[in-house]
């Protein structure tokens, strides 16, 4: 029973730390995509498409520039379509 207050405090502190990290990432993403919007003059759906493909390609604030993994994207394919590798 004596451990309960300490455990509660640990859980709350971890939650607060996670929230701060998320806030920092969101702020950085907003700033970065704001610059993209302004420099490339993207608006609405075009900006959303840029963000979507940037995310699919591993872009964003948390992206590692050292990662050289090959990325494959299919354009014009319904995102909910199931693609099987069985034919390989």
């Amino acid at each position: 029973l004596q451990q309960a207050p300490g455990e509660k405090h640990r859980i709350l502190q971890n939650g607060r730390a996670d929230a701060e990290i998320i806030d920092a990432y969101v702020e950085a993403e907003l700033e970065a995509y704001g610059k993209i919007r302004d420099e490339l003059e993207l608006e609405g759906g075009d900006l959303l498409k840029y963000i979507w493909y940037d995310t699919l390609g591993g872009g964003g604030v948390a992206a590692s520039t050292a990662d050289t993994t090959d990325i494959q994207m299919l354009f014009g394919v319904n995102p909910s379509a199931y693609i099987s590798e069985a034919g390989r």
Side-chain angles (χ1 to χ4, degrees):
L1 201 54
Q2 291 177 346
Q3 289 179 330
E7 185 68 10
K8 175 186 169 186
H9 180 71
R10 183 187 67 76
I11 291 169
L12 289 173
Q13 288 299 97
N14 285 343
R16 288 184 188 113
D18 287 345
E20 289 296 322
I21 291 168
I22 291 168
D23 283 346
Y25 275 110
V26 169
E27 285 298 319
E29 293 279 349
L30 284 170
E31 184 177 332
Y33 287 126
K35 288 180 182 178
I36 294 294
R37 180 196 64 218
D38 295 341
E39 291 176 15
L40 299 179
E41 298 178 357
L42 296 175
E43 296 292 332
D46 290 332
L47 181 60
L48 287 175
K49 286 177 187 175
Y50 178 90
I51 293 170
W52 173 250
Y53 287 109
D54 185 48
T55 302
L56 287 177
V61 172
S64 171
T65 56
D67 188 12
T68 59
T69 305
D70 288 336
I71 302 290
Q72 295 181 3
M73 289 187 255
L74 301 173
F75 293 91
V77 175
N78 182 341
S80 64
Y82 176 77
I83 300 172
S84 174
E85 292 188 32
R88 284 187 142 184

